[in-house]
Amino acid sequence: MEKQKVLFVSQEITPYLPETEMSLIGRNLPQGIQEKKREIRAFMPRYGCINERRNQLHEVIRLSGMNLIIDDTDHSLVIKVASIQSARMQVYFIDNEDFFQRKGIVCDKDGKYYADNDERAIFFARGVLETVKKLRWKPELVHCHGWISSLVPLYLKNAFKEDPLFSKSKVVYSIYNDEFPDSFPANFAKKLKVDGVMEEDLEVVKNPTFVNLSKLAINMSDAVIQGHSTINPEVEEYARNCGKPYLEYQTQDKYIDAYSDFYDVIMSQDADSSDKN
């Protein structure tokens, strides 16, 4: 029987970034799911603070070279890869000199959030899906971690929904306490538009706050996980009442098994509906 495939799209993964709850999940969850006999791929942004030589990143020429247009501007997509030998897993990095060469992750050394974080999130989401297409790898489930991954559900369920690689993919979105204080630029919804993305899908981000960005991700996902013990209360209430499967916060000693069981529930939904038909 062919192994189920799970795609992880993460804002942070250690050892490439300092240890946080999110970066540890980004590192340990794919390994744990792989050890449960599933095939995995893991993606994150190639932030400028990541030491390429120490972490042995190298460009994957056959995957690089595409241009993504955001707000009428071309941005080149560069794909790099590194291996975590102890986990027998590779991590793919989405890179672009306009968005990911600066030393900060989402804010500068003074704590000011980058003005183009909206375009960085757009580029990252689209870059991940375009790269998976080039890999010709068909994920049964896509698990997104952190707000920089929050647009993956939108694009997968709309712009890529006719692609046979993604047409049956389930999406799980994990919510963390990574709230940013200011809104994205007022034209954010306009920048999101590509073929397949409907105007009504974007109503919720006409006011592009962290809360509304999270709501968009929840709207477009098949299930939601509370990834941190305390999250924005409005987002938590929205997620709990959205009518989709919701997994409570899981402690470090339990989350890999709990997430794996949750994946089984989500991926069995199509099978259950087919049986009824």
Side-chain angles (χ1 to χ4, degrees):
M1 184 177 177
E2 191 174 335
K3 289 183 180 180
Q4 289 180 329
K5 297 179 175 68
V6 182
L7 171 64
F8 294 95
V9 188
S10 299
Q11 186 163 303
E12 302 175 11
I13 298 176
T14 192
Y16 309 109
L17 294 177
E19 290 189 2
T20 63
E21 186 161 33
M22 190 192 298
S23 71
L24 284 166
I25 290 174
R27 158 65 179 82
N28 295 323
L29 179 61
Q31 178 182 355
I33 295 302
Q34 183 171 252
E35 289 171 355
K36 291 181 180 293
K37 310 304 180 188
R38 289 181 165 120
E39 191 175 326
I40 64 101
R41 294 285 188 275
F43 281 78
M44 70 173 290
R46 208 296 289 178
Y47 304 109
C49 57
I50 295 172
N51 187 307
E52 292 201 3
R53 179 173 294 181
R54 184 171 65 236
N55 291 293
Q56 298 183 0
L57 272 68
H58 62 271
E59 184 176 350
V60 186
I61 302 297
R62 69 184 177 87
L63 298 176
S64 300
M66 182 183 298
N67 276 8
L68 302 180
I69 300 173
I70 302 172
D71 200 26
D72 298 326
T73 301
D74 277 5
H75 301 277
S76 62
L77 176 60
V78 176
I79 309 302
K80 296 177 179 175
V81 70
S83 295
I84 301 177
Q85 298 293 348
S86 60
R88 291 184 170 183
M89 69 181 246
Q90 289 186 316
V91 177
Y92 290 88
F93 296 83
I94 299 296
D95 198 4
N96 170 268
E97 66 178 23
D98 299 324
F99 295 134
F100 296 117
Q101 293 298 312
R102 63 202 75 168
K103 291 300 181 184
I105 298 174
V106 294
C107 52
D108 63 20
K109 58 183 174 58
D110 298 318
K112 185 177 180 182
Y113 282 73
Y114 295 125
D116 63 350
N117 272 339
D118 62 327
E119 295 188 2
R120 298 171 87 216
I122 294 169
F123 183 86
F124 178 58
R126 289 173 53 191
V128 167
L129 295 175
E130 292 289 358
T131 303
V132 173
K133 272 186 67 173
K134 278 196 171 183
L135 287 169
R136 302 188 64 78
W137 194 75
K138 185 177 183 178
E140 277 85 7
L141 186 136
V142 180
H143 191 170
C144 303
H145 300 263
W147 64 255
I148 208 163
S149 74
S150 62
L151 300 174
V152 170
L154 170 74
Y155 288 123
L156 191 151
K157 294 291 187 176
N158 293 273
F160 288 80
K161 67 180 178 182
E162 302 299 332
D163 192 299
L165 288 176
F166 299 110
S167 59
K168 294 185 178 179
S169 299
K170 298 292 187 180
V171 186
V172 177
Y173 184 67
S174 277
I175 306 166
Y176 293 86
N177 64 336
D178 57 336
E179 186 166 356
F180 52 83
D182 301 316
S183 297
F184 283 162
N187 63 341
F188 175 59
K190 177 178 174 289
K191 293 179 186 178
L192 290 176
K193 288 296 293 290
V194 294
D195 288 347
V197 173
M198 300 293 103
E199 198 71 39
E200 55 265 29
D201 296 328
L202 304 178
E203 280 296 323
V204 70
V205 286
K206 289 296 175 67
N207 178 18
T209 61
F210 170 84
V211 167
N212 289 338
L213 183 65
S214 301
K215 289 179 179 179
L216 175 65
I218 293 165
N219 290 348
M220 296 295 153
S221 297
D222 296 287
V224 184
I225 293 175
Q226 183 173 328
H228 192 271
S229 56
T230 54
I231 58 175
N232 178 284
E234 185 178 347
V235 174
E236 181 178 353
E237 181 181 9
Y238 188 84
R240 287 181 180 276
N241 295 309
C242 70
K244 299 176 182 182
Y246 183 89
L247 183 64
E248 304 278 351
Y249 174 71
Q250 303 291 314
T251 55
Q252 184 177 348
D253 58 325
K254 295 179 179 176
Y255 76 82
I256 292 176
D257 287 338
Y259 285 16
S260 181
D261 291 343
F262 194 59
Y263 295 169
D264 286 337
V265 172
I266 304 310
M267 288 191 282
S268 70
Q269 288 178 338
D270 275 349
D272 291 345
S273 60
S274 297
D275 291 342
K276 290 173 184 176
N277 295 333

